[in-house]
């Protein structure tokens, strides 16, 4: 397939119906078809219009077939009956017509106009070969977005991006999520250096929406969401539970299709911003093995990656395609020394690391990904298919530095009335019993030099042996290491069957599993005093999804000239969310725990510091099920006017039913221009995790580092703070676009979109817990409330309007025997918060209705993603050489540094980066590659608040913070 094609097509999703096939304007099919060209198939096709005949042939051969749709509608084919190879069948079907079968050098088949073949010169043919090999050609593949018969993407009413495997691999990134963010300007992925679970599963934002507003499909089947909830999601994705794109092996992909339009009426919950469909390779023979190494210009982030793909023939027509990937990558550091740490160093504290806290990419200690894709004929009218993925990844990174004189609950305790700060000392033989411990006031001076502290630190004396402070273990403070092991797996299987009277059926079942086991080390449970371990397993979360689908479709003749495509279906899905308790030391209140109201009196905080473990009372599992019925219609009112209708009724066991619909249309103005557009309603159901999860993490608030609890809305603490039950988010989307196809070599689209989303689900900003709140909660049986400085809960909190423009220009041309493919892609997106929920709050003794969202949080929702993003890509090839040049533009952005709403506003400037890659076929089966991502090491402006926590650059910079990445690779292709 050709690489990035942003084209005017409904993403036609065929796998729930007949065999995977698509129609195109005169470009070649995939290598999988080449492998199948010698297989024999049974055909029974009457004489009819070529578009219908070729569609039926592709279905009966269970293959992909590309042809010029507009011309095919005007051509009558011959009848075809009997057993033939694909080549023989096409030759007989098209004999004597204006359509011809073309076979390229690799053996791949395509259907083209005989006249266009006569007119093409050598240079044009070279350009087409380049497009076939995976360049930015004008292939218009329509493969996802409807359950009806496929159409050429140029005849489709909404935009999509089709990214071929060649393009995915023509860059330095090593995971699919980062690859896609480079190729699709409306898809943004920020680095998450220190952001709790978001650092482990980075959220991806399509068209300015949250990460759980984009639905993932694998081979056209709905994919499960990740178990990770992004408690700290950079504002926009706070509280989102989206899918984990990074677990899909890039080497297993034939292509990726990105539908940039709402599709809830077709696929259900989450498809508000769009749909991304990952299509697995299906070659029956041959394979590839690749090795890639690289590193950043700063000398860190070293990458080692091995990839393997192999196809196996099963019987006459069946296949098994297998992929394995292994990756290791070291972390990076884009840090400076914190001002508070430097101050202690200046006072003689020699135990502080430099830097005391690291900002950068996390360590990927082990990343293993597997994928299998299989299919086989059961009978002449039935096919079995199955595919599976599995992944395991270990990630580890830094956390916030614990200052040895100011970290509350570990080293210090501040009197809220007087503001006096004192060193916390554990009296091991008990307060007012045995040897008394000295009281030590803390100031800016180095406490290690305080005579009273030196008495405590001298364990050779009775007083020193009885009195303990964590400064004895960590005289320079400490920085926890936070990470986890992510395990992800899925399996799907189904049967496609041709029913009598032209109906096709697809019955399938899928099972998806996501799990993360958290780890935190180089930290303590302060309440355990000197008995605390320094490494903890604070628990984990899992998500399990089971889905059943039954789909039917048919082409029927009506009053219209062209047949009407009708599809109906049923879906049942069950989701279960698990939360597992941590080891006892990670959550227990030890003998030196916090002061009353718990009645404990040594003053130390409870739980593994940085990420307290899940307690047994918060562990458990919760499930919900839903069913849906849906129908799609697509037809031509007249030859130039295409129309589509989709409806869906869905019922959830926990909150009721929804009804959604979609209308799409395309009107062909002339042979060059067409108008297209759609209007649809959508929804996103609150996830079962959002409704039940309990999580505590350390984050920055307006008063500095504090423990913040994120709670479900039904929790007693949430209710105390004003929570109400969650309801679905509701959206209304519309888009309007212009398509121009001047020739087979030039194609452009311009699309405007508008998404109004009401009752958006997110977490509130952190709400401080007062002494009165804590006392009331303890009285109601929640003693753990004393552990939290502040709490957040899930709520339907605000409404937004997001609008934008996508512009795409594709141009293929030949120059001096060089084949060239030029792609320009640009996106403008603007989000405005139009309504916020008001809550009763007491202000100076009076109850007032005030928003919970801070102005900084609203600004993050609106402006953290750049309003303008674009790229220009030029791919060139000649003989054994291939070059890729890419210019990336990232517009201005806003960052509320540390999400603290503490006045640390960053207004980042626009940035341009440049990527380059050269590939050389040393031997016919061996290719070496050298490249650079961000070749000239362009970096964002320095963080004006870098001294606060040591981040040299704004962590949410859309261009990243790591700078230039250089890489080399070698790939061997075998038969």
């Amino acid at each position: 397939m050709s690489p990035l094609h942003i084209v005017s097509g409904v993403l036609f999703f065929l796998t729930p119906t007949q065999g995977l096939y698509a129609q195109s304007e005169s470009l070649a099919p995939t290598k999988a078809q080449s492998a199948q060209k010698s297989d024999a198939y049974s055909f029974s096709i009457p004489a009819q219009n070529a578009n219908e005949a070729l569609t039926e042939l592709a279905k009966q051969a269970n293959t992909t077939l590309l042809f010029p749709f507009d011309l095919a509608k005007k051509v009558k084919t011959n009848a075809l009956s009997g057993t033939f190879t694909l080549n023989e069948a096409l030759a007989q079907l098209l004999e004597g017509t204006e359509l011809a079968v073309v076979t390229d050098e690799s053996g791949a088949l395509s259907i083209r106009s005989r006249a266009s073949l006569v007119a093409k010169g050598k240079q044009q043919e070279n350009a087409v070969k380049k497009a076939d090999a995976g360049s930015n050609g004008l292939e218009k593949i329509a493969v996802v977005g409807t359950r009806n018969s496929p159409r050429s993407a140029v005849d489709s009413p909404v935009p999509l991006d089709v990214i071929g495997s060649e393009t995915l691999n023509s860059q330095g990134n090593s995971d699919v999520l980062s690859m896609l963010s480079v190729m699709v300007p409306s898809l943004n992925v920020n680095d998450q250096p220190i952001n709790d679970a978001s650092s482990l599963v980075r959220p991806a934002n399509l068209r300015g929406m949250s990460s759980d507003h984009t639905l993932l499909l694998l081979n056209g089947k709905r994919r499960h969401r990740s178990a990770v909830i992004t408690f700290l999601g950079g504002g926009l994705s706070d509280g989102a539970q989206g899918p984990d794109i990074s677990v899909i092996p890039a080497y297993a992909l034939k292509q990726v299709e990105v539908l940039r339009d709402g599709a809830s009426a077709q696929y259900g919950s989450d498809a508000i911003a769009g749909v991304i469909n990952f299509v697995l390779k299906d070659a029956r023979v041959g394979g590839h093995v690749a090795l890639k190494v690289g590193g950043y210009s700063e000398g860190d982030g070293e990458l080692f990656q091995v990839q393997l793909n192999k196809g196996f023939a099963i019987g006459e027509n069946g296949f098994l395609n297998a992929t394995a990937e292994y990756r290791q990558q070291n972390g990076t550091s884009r840090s400076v020394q914190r001002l508070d740490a430097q101050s202690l160093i200046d006072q003689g504290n020699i135990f502080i690391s430099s830097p005391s806290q690291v900002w950068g990419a996390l360590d990927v200690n082990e990343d293993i990904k597997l994928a299998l894709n299989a299919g086989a004929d059961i009978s002449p009218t039935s096919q079995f298919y199955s595919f599976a993925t599995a992944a395991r990844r270990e990630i580890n990174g830094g956390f916030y530095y614990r200052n040895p004189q100011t970290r509350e609950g570990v080293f210090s305790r501040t009197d809220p009335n007087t503001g006096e700060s004192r060193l916390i000392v554990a009296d091991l033989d008990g307060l007012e019993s045995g040897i008394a411990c000295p009281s030590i006031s803390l100031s800016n001076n180095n406490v290690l030099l305080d005579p009273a502290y030196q008495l405590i630190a001298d364990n050779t004396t009775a007083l020193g042996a009885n009195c303990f402070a964590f400064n004895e273990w960590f005289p320079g403070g400490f920085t926890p290491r936070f990470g986890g092991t992510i395990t992800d797996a899925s399996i799907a299987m189904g049967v496609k069957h041709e029913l009598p009277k032209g109906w096709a059926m697809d019955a399938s079942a899928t099972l998806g599993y996501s799990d993360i086991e958290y780890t935190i080390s180089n930290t303590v449970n302060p309440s355990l005093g000197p008995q605390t371990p320094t490494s903890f397993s604070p628990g984990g979360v899992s998500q399990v999804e089971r889905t059943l689908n039954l789909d039917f479709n048919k082409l029927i003749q009506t009053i219209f000239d062209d047949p009407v495509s009708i599809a109906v279906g049923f879906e049942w899905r069950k989701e279960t969310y698990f939360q597992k308790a941590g080891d006892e030391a990670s959550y227990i209140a030890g003998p030196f725990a916090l002061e009353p109201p718990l009645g404990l009196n040594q003053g130390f905080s409870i739980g593994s510091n940085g990420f307290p473990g899940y307690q047994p009372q918060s562990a458990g599992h919760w499930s919900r099920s839903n069913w849906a019925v849906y129908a799609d219609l697509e037809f031509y009112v007249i030859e130039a006017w295409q129309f589509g209708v989709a409806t869906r009724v869905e019922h959830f066991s926990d909150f009721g039913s929804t009804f959604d619909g979609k209308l799409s249309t395309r009107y062909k103005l002339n042979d060059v221009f067409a108008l297209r557009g759609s209007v649809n309603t959508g929804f996103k159901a609150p996830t079962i995790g959002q409704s039940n999860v309990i999580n505590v993490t350390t984050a920055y608030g307006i008063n500095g580092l504090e423990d913040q609890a994120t709670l479900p809305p039904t929790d007693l603490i949430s209710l105390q703070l004003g929570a109400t039950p969650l309801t679905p988010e509701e959206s209304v989307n519309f888009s309007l676009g212009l398509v121009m196809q001047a020739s087979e070599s030039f194609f452009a689209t311009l699309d405007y979109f508008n998404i109004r989303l009401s009752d958006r689900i997110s977490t509130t900003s952190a709400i401080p817990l007062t002494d009165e709140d804590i006392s009331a909660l303890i009285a109601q049986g929640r003693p753990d409330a004393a552990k939290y400085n502040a709490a957040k809960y899930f709520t339907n909190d605000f409404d937004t309007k997001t609008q934008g423009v996508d512009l795409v220009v594709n141009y293929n041309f030949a120059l001096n025997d060089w084949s060239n493919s030029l792609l320009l892609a640009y996106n403008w997106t603007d989000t405005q918060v139009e309504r916020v929920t008001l809550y009763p709050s007491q202000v100076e003794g009076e109850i007032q209705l005030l928003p919970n969202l801070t102005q900084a949080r609203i600004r993050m929702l609106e402006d953290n993603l750049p309003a303008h993003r674009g790229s220009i890509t030029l791919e060139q090839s000649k003989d054994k050489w291939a070059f890729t040049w890419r210019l990336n533009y990232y517009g201005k952005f806003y960052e509320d540094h540390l999400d603290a709403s503490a006045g640390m506003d960053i207004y980042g400037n626009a940035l341009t980066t440049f990527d380059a890659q050269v590939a050389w076929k040393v031997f016919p089966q061996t290719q070496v590659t050298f490249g650079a991502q961000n070749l000239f090491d362009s970096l964002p402006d320095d963080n004006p608040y870098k001294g606060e926590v040591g981040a040299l650059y704004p962590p949410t910079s859309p261009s990243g913070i790591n700078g230039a990445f250089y890489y080399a690779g070698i790939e061997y292709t075998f038969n």
Side-chain angles (χ1 to χ4, degrees):
M1 292 290 142
S2 59
L4 178 58
H5 299 115
I6 306 179
V7 295
S8 68
V10 177
L11 299 158
F12 286 104
F13 159 35
L14 304 177
T15 47
T17 56
Q18 58 252 29
L20 177 62
Y21 59 96
Q23 305 170 12
S24 169
E25 300 239 344
S26 69
L27 284 182
T30 64
K31 295 178 181 179
Q33 297 154 311
S34 174
Q36 295 176 350
K37 68 180 187 299
S38 62
D39 299 324
Y41 305 91
S42 295
F43 296 99
S44 178
I45 302 172
Q48 56 188 308
N49 289 345
N51 64 308
E52 298 174 18
L54 290 169
T55 296
E56 185 63 25
L57 183 144
K59 180 174 64 176
Q60 293 184 17
N62 191 29
T63 189
T64 304
L65 189 60
L66 313 178
F67 58 90
F69 188 78
D70 287 340
L71 178 59
K73 289 168 61 178
K74 303 172 184 178
V75 173
K76 292 288 186 180
T77 66
N78 306 305
L80 180 67
S81 179
T83 301
F84 305 94
T85 66
L86 192 57
N87 274 328
E88 294 168 342
L90 286 169
Q92 180 169 318
L93 192 75
L94 301 176
E95 184 179 3
T97 71
E98 290 300 313
L99 298 174
V101 183
V102 177
T103 305
D104 69 9
E105 292 179 343
S106 68
L109 300 176
S110 63
I111 312 301
R112 301 190 189 174
S113 160
R114 293 183 189 275
S116 69
L117 291 175
V118 172
K120 284 183 182 297
K122 181 176 184 300
Q123 289 184 341
Q124 290 172 305
E125 290 174 358
N126 287 341
V128 170
K129 289 176 184 176
K130 173 69 171 105
D132 293 344
S135 70
N136 291 319
L138 304 182
E139 191 174 3
K140 287 153 288 283
I141 310 299
V143 288
V144 67
T146 179
R147 295 177 175 84
N148 300 322
S149 297
R151 305 187 193 280
S152 166
V154 75
D155 289 325
S156 301
V158 292
L160 67 92
D161 309 331
V162 179
I163 306 170
S165 59
E166 294 283 343
T167 296
L168 284 174
N169 293 316
S170 66
Q171 52 178 293
N173 292 309
S174 57
D175 68 276
V176 172
L177 181 57
S178 299
M179 292 175 180
L180 291 178
S181 68
V182 170
M183 304 309 304
V184 183
S186 57
L187 181 68
N188 288 273
V189 182
N190 287 337
D191 288 327
Q192 303 284 340
I194 301 178
N195 239 4
D196 199 62
S198 304
S199 301
L200 310 182
V201 178
R202 293 184 300 159
N205 307 111
L206 181 64
R207 281 192 160 180
M209 295 283 99
S210 179
S211 60
D212 56 3
H213 291 145
T214 301
L215 178 65
L216 251 60
L217 306 176
L218 185 64
N219 277 359
K221 300 299 183 183
R222 185 184 183 106
R223 187 164 171 84
H224 60 280
R225 69 180 78 252
S226 168
V228 169
I229 298 176
T230 55
F231 301 105
L232 303 174
L236 179 60
S237 293
D238 284 356
Q241 188 182 0
D244 186 359
I245 298 176
S246 63
V247 297
I248 298 173
Y251 215 57
L253 298 176
K254 182 164 71 174
Q255 64 184 41
V256 181
E257 303 141 7
V258 183
L259 169 64
R260 292 177 279 116
D261 193 58
S264 291
Q266 294 157 302
Y267 299 112
S269 178
D270 304 353
I272 289 176
V275 179
I276 302 177
N277 182 37
F278 296 91
V279 182
L280 297 174
K281 292 178 180 176
D282 54 7
R284 302 178 71 231
V285 295
H288 312 267
V289 60
L291 170 66
K292 187 176 187 178
V293 295
Y296 286 97
S297 57
E298 293 289 329
D300 54 11
E302 299 90 340
L303 168 70
F304 174 82
Q305 183 178 54
V306 178
Q307 299 169 302
L308 174 66
N309 174 264
K310 179 71 172 71
F312 303 90
I314 300 178
E316 293 186 0
N317 303 314
F319 71 93
L320 171 65
N321 192 274
T323 303
E325 285 190 8
Y326 176 82
R327 176 173 72 109
Q328 279 191 315
Q329 188 161 16
N330 293 333
T332 64
S333 176
R334 303 295 178 265
S335 316
V336 297
Q337 187 59 281
R338 293 169 49 130
L339 291 178
D340 59 342
Q342 186 60 50
S343 175
L344 291 175
I345 293 173
D346 294 341
Q347 294 181 50
N349 191 327
I350 62 174
F351 302 99
I352 298 174
S353 301
S354 184
S356 57
Q357 178 176 324
V358 173
W359 289 86
L362 281 67
D363 289 313
V364 180
N365 301 322
E366 184 180 81
D367 188 1
I368 300 171
K369 302 171 189 173
L370 305 172
L372 296 173
N373 189 25
D377 289 345
I378 303 173
S379 71
T381 59
S382 300
Q383 301 88 37
F384 169 81
Y385 61 89
S386 181
F387 49 91
T389 63
R392 185 179 184 274
R393 181 169 77 246
E394 293 182 2
I395 301 180
N396 193 270
F399 228 40
Y400 289 110
Y401 170 65
R402 271 52 180 170
N403 187 295
Q405 297 187 194
T406 62
R407 178 54 179 150
E408 290 284 293
V410 184
F411 298 105
S412 67
R413 178 66 63 193
T414 302
D415 189 314
N417 298 316
T418 66
E420 181 186 11
S421 183
R422 309 187 71 80
L423 184 72
I424 310 180
V425 180
D427 191 332
L428 303 184
D429 63 7
L431 291 178
E432 300 178 358
S433 174
I435 301 173
C437 296
S439 176
I440 303 171
S441 295
L442 294 173
S443 64
N444 293 329
N445 297 325
N446 185 357
V447 71
L448 301 182
L449 302 178
D450 188 294
Y453 169 77
Q454 292 176 348
L455 291 176
I456 292 172
D458 184 1
N459 291 324
T460 62
T461 68
L463 185 145
N466 178 63
C467 302
F468 173 78
F470 278 105
N471 304 70
E472 299 177 55
W473 284 13
F474 307 103
F478 62 92
T479 304
R481 297 283 297 176
F482 176 73
T485 299
I486 296 170
T487 305
D488 190 281
S490 69
I491 185 170
M493 59 182 60
V495 175
K496 299 173 186 176
H497 181 66
E498 300 299 322
L499 299 171
K501 299 183 179 180
W503 283 95
M505 180 195 75
D506 185 340
S508 65
T510 62
L511 174 66
Y513 171 74
S514 173
D515 174 83
I516 181 166
E517 296 289 339
Y518 295 115
T519 61
I520 189 164
S521 60
N522 197 43
T523 188
V524 295
N525 179 344
S527 68
L528 292 174
Q531 302 304 314
T532 179
T534 56
S535 296
F536 303 87
S537 297
V541 290
S542 300
Q543 174 87 9
V544 177
E545 296 185 25
R546 311 159 188 85
T547 306
L548 300 176
N549 283 95
L550 182 62
D551 297 278
F552 301 90
N553 80 300
K554 182 182 181 182
L555 294 175
I556 59 174
Q557 295 294 333
T558 64
I559 59 174
F560 303 117
D561 291 337
D562 288 323
V564 173
S565 182
I566 181 171
V568 295
F570 170 83
E571 179 179 273
W572 174 86
R573 189 169 75 255
K574 183 176 182 180
E575 301 176 59
T576 304
Y577 184 80
F578 297 82
Q579 184 160 296
K580 294 163 281 187
D583 57 45
E584 185 181 48
S586 69
Y587 63 78
I588 192 173
F592 309 103
L594 195 61
E595 302 245 359
L598 280 182
L600 304 173
N601 51 18
Q602 295 281 347
F604 289 95
S605 62
I606 301 167
S608 46
N609 195 260
F611 196 97
Y614 295 134
Q615 301 182 56
Q617 57 264 38
S618 66
H621 66 276
W622 305 267
S623 297
R624 71 127 177 261
S625 61
N626 65 289
W627 56 261
V629 292
Y630 41 84
D632 297 353
L633 283 176
E634 290 186 1
F635 55 93
Y636 281 87
V637 179
I638 58 176
E639 184 176 355
W641 189 12
Q642 177 190 347
F643 205 80
V645 182
T647 59
R648 186 182 186 97
V649 176
E650 192 150 358
H651 178 80
F652 288 79
S653 60
D654 53 351
F655 66 81
S657 302
T658 68
F659 173 82
D660 290 281
K662 180 173 183 175
L663 301 175
S664 59
T665 188
R666 178 188 180 277
Y667 186 77
K668 185 176 180 180
L669 299 173
N670 52 44
D671 289 339
V672 176
F673 293 99
L675 292 174
R676 65 185 182 188
S678 70
V679 59
N680 62 84
T681 61
F683 75 102
K684 193 199 83 68
T687 72
I688 198 70
Q690 290 170 330
S691 298
N692 294 281
V693 70
I694 297 176
N695 186 77
V696 181
T697 190
T698 303
Y700 267 81
I702 195 168
N703 296 316
L705 207 58
E706 62 184 18
D707 290 333
Q708 297 177 357
T710 303
L711 306 167
T714 54
D715 188 272
L716 192 61
I717 296 176
S718 302
L719 295 174
Q720 174 85 8
L721 298 174
T724 56
L726 293 176
T727 60
E729 302 176 347
E730 302 284 349
S731 72
V732 177
N733 299 27
F734 79 85
S735 65
L736 182 65
L738 176 67
V739 179
M740 180 178 71
Q741 185 171 17
S743 68
E744 290 187 1
S745 299
F746 186 87
F747 184 87
T749 64
L750 179 67
D751 292 278
Y752 168 80
F753 61 91
N754 186 296
I755 306 170
R756 288 186 176 270
L757 186 55
S758 60
D759 296 325
R760 288 185 65 162
I761 298 171
S762 182
T763 57
T764 64
S765 299
I767 304 172
L769 286 172
T770 66
D771 290 340
E772 291 77 11
D773 289 331
I774 294 173
S775 297
L777 288 164
I778 290 172
Q780 297 176 64
R782 286 300 298 274
D784 59 311
K787 297 192 297 183
Y788 314 140
N789 302 106
K792 302 186 289 185
Y793 56 85
F794 289 93
T795 183
N796 298 92
D797 212 19
F798 56 98
D799 301 343
T800 59
K801 180 180 79 172
T802 299
Q803 60 181 335
V805 172
D806 289 315
L807 171 66
V808 176
V809 178
N810 263 309
Y811 180 40
N812 283 349
F813 61 98
L815 182 64
N816 296 330
D817 293 330
W818 283 85
S819 297
N820 302 277
S821 295
L822 181 67
L823 170 69
L824 183 150
Y826 164 78
N827 168 261
W828 166 73
T829 299
D830 176 73
T831 296
Q832 298 295 321
V833 176
E834 296 193 313
R835 182 199 65 84
V836 295
T837 302
L838 301 179
Y839 301 88
S841 302
Q842 189 168 353
V843 179
E844 296 181 354
E846 295 184 1
I847 299 297
Q848 298 181 15
L849 292 176
L850 299 173
N852 172 261
L853 287 184
T854 64
Q855 286 301 310
R857 175 79 182 281
I858 292 173
R859 188 72 186 273
M860 285 287 284
L861 289 163
E862 296 179 339
D863 298 328
N864 182 234
L865 298 182
H868 301 276
R869 266 202 66 192
S871 65
I872 300 174
T873 302
L874 175 63
E875 296 185 345
Q876 301 178 292
S877 66
K878 178 183 177 182
D879 300 328
K880 299 179 180 180
W881 295 90
F883 295 87
T884 300
W885 318 98
R886 183 177 297 111
L887 191 69
N888 307 289
Y889 175 79
Y890 303 88
K892 297 180 179 179
F893 69 100
Y894 165 81
E895 179 184 304
D896 171 30
H897 191 45
L898 307 178
D899 290 327
S901 297
M904 292 186 286
D905 299 316
I906 298 175
Y907 299 91
N909 291 318
L911 186 69
T912 300
T913 65
F914 184 74
D915 307 332
Q917 177 177 290
V918 56
W920 175 37
K921 278 194 174 297
V922 184
F923 304 106
Q925 294 178 302
T926 305
Q927 176 176 284
V928 295
T929 302
F930 300 94
Q933 201 106 4
N934 191 0
L935 175 64
F936 302 114
D937 201 23
S938 298
L939 290 163
D941 296 334
D942 282 8
N943 174 11
Y945 307 101
K946 58 188 176 184
E948 292 291 330
V949 292
L952 178 57
Y953 306 112
T956 64
S957 174
S959 60
I961 63 174
N962 288 310
F965 181 79
Y966 305 109
Y967 59 94
I970 184 169
E971 182 179 49
Y972 177 75
T973 302
F974 52 90
N975 296 322

